[in-house]
Amino acid sequence: MSSQPATPEARAERRAHYLTGLVWHVGAFVIINAFFWILDAVLGAGGITWAFWITLFWGFALVFHALAYVIDGTFLEQRRASEYARRERERMGRSPGAPAGSS
């Protein structure tokens, strides 16, 4: 990972790409789980049994995928590192815009 922040265009492109992946994940989740629920209802003895568990665990994975998109974890670490560096410069008595070698 480079130390230079990405351009706004690169960040927007990455975010759009990630959103596309999330939309495909949601689509696959809905279609495949609908098939599983129908299959379980038709073939299952005594109602819905195994489809619930597939939907539950896959749903957890989908929630984490959506949270990663909302939080934008790609740049979270970079933002936190910049914040910690700013605090460290302030603690050392340097102004936020000063080069590392000056006081």
Side-chain angles (χ1 to χ4, degrees):
M1 183 154 126
S2 69
S3 61
Q4 292 293 331
T7 65
E9 293 80 13
R11 286 193 305 260
E13 185 176 329
R14 180 178 290 184
R15 192 145 169 85
H17 179 73
Y18 202 81
L19 179 61
T20 302
L22 179 59
V23 169
W24 277 102
H25 191 175
V26 169
F29 175 82
V30 169
I31 292 168
I32 294 171
N33 277 288
F35 173 75
F36 285 155
W37 280 84
I38 292 167
L39 189 65
D40 197 14
V42 171
L43 300 178
I48 306 299
T49 54
W50 53 269
F52 169 79
W53 296 107
I54 293 173
T55 303
L56 179 70
F57 290 115
W58 193 351
F60 282 138
L62 185 58
V63 166
F64 282 112
H65 192 164
L67 281 174
Y69 174 75
V70 170
I71 293 171
D72 194 13
T74 305
F75 297 103
L76 182 61
E77 183 178 352
Q78 187 177 16
R79 288 192 305 256
R80 294 308 303 168
S82 296
E83 175 65 20
Y84 293 148
R86 183 189 63 78
R87 287 182 186 171
E88 187 64 21
R89 282 192 302 269
E90 288 175 359
R91 190 178 72 77
M92 299 298 288
R94 287 184 258 157
S95 64
S102 67
S103 306

